[in-house]
Amino acid sequence: PPGVDHVEPTEHVTVVKGSLVTLTCEARGVPPPSLSWLKDGQPLSLHRNLLLDGHETRLRLPDVSPSDAGQYSCVASNQAGSSTKTFNLTVLEPPKISGSGSPEEVSVAINSPLELECAAEGFPPPTLSWLKDGRPLHRQAEVLRDGGLLRISKVQVEDAGLYTCLASSPAGEDGRNHWVRVQVPPTLLGSREVQTVSIPTKGHLTLECQANSDPPPTIEWFKDDAKLQ
């Protein structure tokens, strides 16, 4: 009867999407057995990459996709019986974060809440984590929904920067950046008291006004509540 060379009854093969996979089956028997392949119980006799070389047969998958995953069986048979070698093929898909590849720019007013969302696909399902400026998050940030949501209840100036959502799995990793800009209302610099300036007739007068904010403020001047042009 036929005998198929194998170490274990079922060989487990795990590869990343896009890889080259070759499944090899060799059999002996008298008379020499015929070899055939099945995938999930269906014949693969017309598969374009099924190669037969004497007592050895190879199934070559040059660019593995998720649809190629499944159970492959090599069956050797002759008048005396049959023997089967089984392969379980698992195809890993590298993580891919949904959305555009360009960084997302988010502007939020100081003391307002900030929420950043992240979703990724892949097999096995990837793990989501967050970084700020390339480092682990500070304690004020909450990570919810298994990493799918980053929340800061009251944004401060130091919360501005580059936030990165990182999706990782045994198949690889993917990242997406979020630029966060914290908007600060204008604050006039100097004393708030009314200043009295004396200047002679036809003298030169210069009044200065400085303010801090993000984005930079628009500064306007008024005389006796009338806007100066």
Side-chain angles (χ1 to χ4, degrees):
V4 178
D5 293 340
H6 58 72
V7 178
E8 298 291 340
T10 300
E11 184 175 334
H12 296 275
V13 181
T14 301
V15 295
V16 177
K17 177 183 176 182
S19 301
L20 167 65
V21 176
T22 301
L23 305 180
T24 302
C25 178
E26 187 175 0
R28 296 288 185 270
V30 179
S34 60
L35 299 171
S36 61
W37 285 85
L38 305 173
K39 179 181 184 293
D40 299 327
Q42 300 299 316
L44 285 175
S45 56
L46 298 180
H47 197 283
R48 63 187 182 280
N49 293 317
L50 186 59
L51 308 175
L52 180 62
D53 182 13
H55 301 297
E56 181 181 274
T57 180
R58 292 175 311 215
L59 179 61
R60 187 172 181 271
L61 306 173
D63 187 13
V64 171
S65 66
S67 61
D68 292 320
Q71 185 181 78
Y72 292 82
S73 300
C74 170
V75 181
S77 57
N78 64 11
Q79 292 89 331
S82 63
S83 181
T84 301
K85 181 178 181 179
T86 303
F87 303 84
N88 274 340
L89 178 63
T90 300
V91 179
L92 305 182
E93 293 186 73
K96 182 174 178 58
I97 296 179
S98 57
S100 64
S102 58
E104 179 185 0
E105 295 187 6
V106 180
S107 295
V108 58
I110 192 170
N111 293 322
S112 298
L114 169 68
E115 290 189 350
L116 302 176
E117 293 185 323
C118 184
E121 298 179 347
F123 183 80
T127 300
L128 298 177
S129 59
W130 288 87
L131 303 173
K132 179 182 182 294
D133 299 326
R135 298 181 179 181
L137 290 171
H138 54 73
R139 58 180 178 83
Q140 293 182 356
E142 294 181 277
V143 178
L144 309 172
R145 298 201 314 235
D146 294 328
L149 176 65
L150 172 69
R151 176 186 295 163
I152 299 177
S153 57
K154 288 187 176 182
V155 170
Q156 301 301 310
V157 174
E158 58 268 22
D159 293 320
L162 177 65
Y163 289 78
T164 302
C165 174
L166 188 64
S168 57
S169 77
E173 65 180 26
D174 189 22
R176 188 182 181 197
N177 292 326
H178 304 258
W179 288 101
V180 174
R181 183 175 181 179
V182 178
Q183 296 177 329
V184 180
T187 300
L188 289 172
L189 303 180
S191 174
R192 294 294 186 95
E193 297 180 359
V194 177
Q195 300 180 36
T196 300
V197 180
S198 298
I199 187 170
T201 303
K202 297 184 180 180
H204 181 75
L205 172 65
T206 299
L207 301 178
E208 291 186 350
C209 178
Q210 295 180 340
N212 279 340
S213 72
D214 189 359
T218 299
I219 297 179
E220 297 176 331
W221 286 87
F222 294 79
K223 178 181 181 294
D224 297 333
D225 295 330
K227 182 178 178 181
L228 297 177
Q229 300 297 326

